[in-house]
Amino acid sequence: MAVTNAPPGYKFTEKHEWVKVEGDTALIGISDYAQAALGDIVFVDLPKVGKSIKQSDSFGTIESVKAAEDLYAPISGEVVEVNGNLSKNPAAVNSDPFGSWMIRVKGINSSELEKLLDPESYRELVSKLD
């Protein structure tokens, strides 16, 4: 049974992205489970500031030594910041998946947040994957 870190204050998708609301913006990244499944991350391709993203649509890609995967938006919004550290150090996602956010968005729709998994539900989902 997989045990995954899913801290309080985060919401998760079934595709293993997370969102954390901070005031009127939200940070988006990938879960501990996702980074472990991908293995050593070598590249992250993220959208430019100003791009509008829609819930469930791809907003970028992440590549590891094993695979390349699309990143899916847990919520809709406008990208207001991109984590530039990831272009220099993509492996930071492996060592700190919750500290290594990918994008910050504004224009949060609370009804979209309600559709996401809370930490307990996400841990339950992951426990069934092994």
Side-chain angles (χ1 to χ4, degrees), residues 5 11 48 53 65 80 111 122:
N5 183 17
K11 294 279 206 162
K48 296 199 179 328
I53 60 172
V65 293
V80 293
S111 67
Y122 181 70

Side-chain angles (χ1 to χ4, degrees), residues 17-68:
E17 284 82 13
W18 59 256
V19 60
K20 182 180 185 197
V21 176
E22 294 185 338
D24 63 348
T25 65
L27 297 175
I28 295 173
I30 66 166
S31 71
D32 187 35
Y33 178 86
Q35 69 78 22
L38 281 167
D40 294 335
I41 294 168
V42 295
F43 181 73
V44 181
D45 182 35
L46 299 172
K48 296 199 179 328
V49 169
K51 179 168 174 54
S52 290
I53 60 172
K54 282 195 153 104
Q55 186 176 41
S56 303
D57 284 358
S58 173
F59 69 85
T61 54
I62 188 165
E63 295 178 22
S64 71
V65 293
K66 294 197 285 188

Side-chain angles (χ1 to χ4, degrees), residues 31-110:
S31 71
D32 187 35
Y33 178 86
Q35 69 78 22
L38 281 167
D40 294 335
I41 294 168
V42 295
F43 181 73
V44 181
D45 182 35
L46 299 172
K48 296 199 179 328
V49 169
K51 179 168 174 54
S52 290
I53 60 172
K54 282 195 153 104
Q55 186 176 41
S56 303
D57 284 358
S58 173
F59 69 85
T61 54
I62 188 165
E63 295 178 22
S64 71
V65 293
K66 294 197 285 188
E69 296 285 338
D70 281 334
L71 296 164
Y72 294 97
I75 59 171
S76 301
E78 179 187 335
V79 178
V80 293
E81 190 178 355
V82 174
N83 187 344
N85 294 337
L86 296 182
S87 63
K88 297 186 272 307
N89 184 17
V93 175
N94 291 119
S95 57
D96 185 8
F98 295 102
S100 299
W101 57 275
M102 296 178 177
I103 59 174
R104 181 184 298 271
V105 298
K106 70 176 184 180
I108 302 163
N109 179 334
S110 59

